[in-house]
Amino acid sequence: MKGLNISMKRLIKNGTIVEADGSCQADLLIVQGKVTAIGPELEVAGDVEVIDASGCYVFPGGIDVHTHFDIDVGIARSCDDFFTGTRAAACGGTTTIVDHMGFGPKGCDLHHQLSVYHRAAEGKAVIDYSFHGVIQRIDEGILAEMASMVSEEGISSFKFYLTYGYKLGEADVLRALMRLREVGALSTVHPEVDAAITVLRDQLVAAGETAPMDHARSRPLEVEAAAVAGVINLARLAGDAPLYIVHLSNGLGLDYARLARRAGQPVWVETCPQYLFLDESAYLREDALKFILSPPLRPNVEQEKLWSGIVDGSIDTIGTDHCNFPYSLRLEKTKGDFRCCPNGMPGAENRMQLMFSEGVMKGRISPSRFVEITSTLPAKLFGMWPEKGHLGLGADADIVIFDPKQSSNISHAHLHDNGDYCPFEGMVCQGVPVMTLSRGEIVASNGQFTGRAGAGQFIRRKPFDRGLLAQHRCSQSIKGNNS
């Protein structure tokens, strides 16, 4: 089906409908892109398409709040634009993305990049999408502009960096955190101590050590964890400004976040599949350039520390940090010096299947916890609840159907991005996303893309709702489903 027939009803029958707070065996009716009825053995009059989900899980569509589509990083542009990137996401069971906008020209205001990204995504995205604001500097004009970005543009989260060319110093981080709290926005941060990276990198380069493993040696986990601790303390000084740590890769940083949360601080943590399933031994492979990203892959002992955070609820979301630079381009650019390699890794199509297989099917987490970290909490944190992130009456019919009986080997030959490799090549997954629906439209079925460019809608997100998140934490703690 290439277009959305809004007059058509779809009835998903015989599946197990899973929410973050429980599951039930029931049918689900979709009318005009919305969930309109849930119950056992629903009878529907008129023209209706029946989808038999016998033996399958019916989940809310995945929400990936960390992608980098069509990003220019100065030395290269990623190969996935908003068509190929969202196509891959849809085929993997994701129905909404929130993209981290790249840096604009020096001196530009916040609205500049928003306009650039609106043009990049419009007419291309196959699923719903939004953007995080990107902060390149702090001055009175930028601070004033934040309010209209939230209230008029629907951009209710902003990212700043503690490293790279437009890094913020501590004074500016504090000012940003204070102002974002005032205007109802969530601060998201790339946490690495830039000065430490510079010292370590310069030492390695001076010694002629520029191999892929030296990329990891230049950014050890302590560099990341120290930045996590520092920005958490600044958020406390900013009146307990809500803070979201992106792509956490290690247990020490997670421990700092746990301490803050125990003290009542509003801190949330994201990790990514690459840090759960890959480790720094990849930098010893012949094709090690495929795995250069920041933060880098860690020693494998960090994986179980992150899994413990997923199990105990101290890790809140699973993003991908999808930023796809082909291996052929990496080889061309790098020439033996890790500093010249574009950083990033594909993964938007693999996230849901990997987490289902390694989490649910291996008994680490329940199906409800899977929904919570891949859909419900992202929706609540980033202002898309209750339209997104669950399958209640009136919600958008964003759905992925998983068959736990099927298995598959991950192979880039069967994926839908625009790159030339998959970092998870050869991994065997138990459980397959057999159908993805976006607003009731079937956009992927049995590994085939069936959607259309431009079908995705821009989501004007609501201001950050601290009460909603506090209520969620309280209810989940009482229910105790994080096991």
Side-chain angles (χ1 to χ4, degrees):
M1 178 175 170
K2 296 296 184 183
L4 175 62
N5 180 357
I6 63 171
S7 66
M8 176 175 284
K9 302 173 185 177
R10 285 196 165 95
L11 181 64
I12 300 176
K13 292 188 65 69
N14 307 317
T16 299
I17 297 173
V18 184
E19 297 270 45
D21 59 358
S23 61
C24 64
Q25 192 79 21
D27 300 341
L28 183 148
L29 179 64
I30 301 165
V31 179
Q32 295 187 3
K34 298 284 186 179
V35 177
T36 59
I38 299 173
E41 301 181 2
L42 291 178
E43 298 292 336
V44 180
D47 183 20
V48 60
E49 177 184 342
V50 175
I51 299 170
D52 186 3
S54 296
C56 295
Y57 290 109
V58 180
F59 294 128
I63 300 174
D64 186 351
V65 295
H66 194 157
T67 63
H68 294 280
F69 296 147
D70 206 10
I71 188 172
D72 185 348
V73 297
I75 61 172
R77 181 179 288 275
S78 64
C79 62
D80 276 321
D81 63 11
F82 279 88
F83 172 63
T84 62
T86 58
R87 177 181 65 186
C91 290
T94 291
T95 53
T96 305
I97 61 100
V98 185
D99 198 80
H100 282 286
M101 297 188 290
F103 295 134
K106 184 177 181 179
C108 70
D109 62 16
L110 296 175
H111 282 78
H112 178 278
Q113 283 302 88
L114 180 59
S115 297
V116 169
Y117 271 71
H118 272 306
R119 291 194 297 271
E122 188 174 5
K124 289 188 176 181
V126 307
I127 54 176
D128 291 350
Y129 62 95
S130 189
F131 312 116
H132 304 281
V134 61
I135 299 173
Q136 300 178 210
R137 72 183 193 283
I138 291 295
D139 57 31
E140 292 305 318
I142 295 294
L143 293 170
E145 193 182 0
M146 289 173 177
S148 64
M149 288 283 284
V150 176
S151 63
E152 298 174 17
E153 307 293 349
I155 302 298
S156 57
S157 55
F158 293 77
K159 187 177 187 180
F160 56 86
Y161 293 76
L162 304 183
T163 187
Y164 300 133
Y166 288 106
K167 63 183 179 293
L168 297 189
E170 289 181 344
D172 285 342
V173 168
L174 183 58
R175 296 173 73 196
L177 288 164
M178 288 176 170
R179 181 58 175 160
L180 290 172
R181 177 181 59 80
E182 288 175 354
V183 301
L186 177 60
S187 298
T188 81
V189 58
H190 177 120
E192 292 181 290
V193 178
D194 185 76
I197 294 170
T198 299
V199 169
L200 294 172
R201 184 180 58 225
D202 289 351
Q203 289 176 345
L204 289 164
V205 172
E209 297 174 338
T210 59
M213 180 60 84
D214 299 315
H215 168 69
R217 294 171 63 200
S218 74
R219 308 175 96 101
L221 66 86
E222 292 82 2
V223 164
E224 181 187 5
V228 169
V231 74
I232 284 173
N233 287 328
L234 290 173
R236 173 68 96 182
L237 292 173
D240 276 350
L243 180 67
Y244 181 91
I245 308 297
V246 305
H247 52 44
L248 187 75
S249 70
N250 69 87
L252 181 58
L254 181 58
D255 285 341
Y256 290 135
R258 284 185 173 122
L259 286 171
R261 284 162 66 139
R262 288 171 191 156
Q265 226 178 311
V267 175
W268 290 269
V269 176
E270 163 196 290
T271 193
C272 306
Q274 52 266 33
Y275 304 118
L276 296 168
F277 307 117
L278 304 173
D279 64 60
E280 68 177 7
S281 65
Y283 297 126
L284 300 176
R285 291 171 41 160
E286 185 178 352
D287 59 352
L289 291 178
K290 293 177 178 178
F291 304 95
I292 287 187
L293 77 166
S294 298
L297 301 178
R298 302 301 187 191
N300 61 13
V301 295
E302 300 302 317
Q303 293 177 353
E304 283 307 314
K305 296 175 185 178
L306 295 176
W307 272 109
S308 73
I310 292 171
V311 170
D312 69 22
S314 51
I315 287 178
D316 302 282
T317 68
I318 306 296
T320 61
D321 197 9
H322 181 107
C323 191
N324 197 358
F325 299 101
Y327 181 48
S328 58
L329 177 67
R330 293 166 183 260
L331 287 169
E332 174 190 332
K333 292 282 186 181
T334 304
K335 302 187 189 322
D337 187 340
F338 70 81
R339 295 174 299 170
C340 302
C341 185
N343 274 222
M345 190 178 288
E349 191 163 352
N350 308 119
R351 176 184 72 123
M352 296 285 281
Q353 187 174 17
L354 284 168
M355 293 307 300
F356 181 82
S357 177
E358 298 299 308
V360 177
M361 296 305 293
K362 289 194 174 178
R364 285 182 167 117
I365 57 174
S366 67
S368 288
R369 178 66 173 147
F370 170 79
V371 168
E372 185 176 33
I373 59 178
T374 62
S375 186
T376 300
L377 261 173
K380 290 183 175 182
L381 278 162
F382 293 96
M384 296 180 283
W385 180 272
E387 292 81 8
K388 306 288 188 187
H390 75 135
L391 297 177
L393 299 183
D396 292 343
D398 294 346
I399 296 167
V400 58
I401 300 174
F402 259 83
D403 185 350
K405 301 180 297 299
Q406 293 190 40
S407 64
S408 66
N409 288 19
I410 293 178
S411 169
H412 188 262
H414 302 135
L415 300 182
H416 298 83
D417 61 58
N418 201 34
D420 60 6
Y421 81 100
C422 175
F424 309 104
E425 188 80 24
M427 287 189 64
V428 179
C429 291
Q430 185 63 42
V432 173
V434 294
M435 184 174 289
T436 308
L437 296 91
S438 173
R439 294 181 183 266
E441 179 180 5
I442 300 172
V443 294
S445 180
N446 294 313
Q448 300 298 313
F449 175 64
T450 59
R452 59 184 175 86
Q457 299 181 24
F458 173 71
I459 306 298
R460 293 181 179 274
R461 297 182 286 119
K462 306 177 188 73
F464 178 79
D465 187 342
R466 187 180 302 199
L468 176 66
L469 273 299
Q471 181 183 38
H472 181 96
R473 277 186 180 170
C474 180
S475 65
Q476 297 304 77
S477 177
I478 292 170
K479 179 166 65 66
N481 77 332
N482 293 334
S483 60

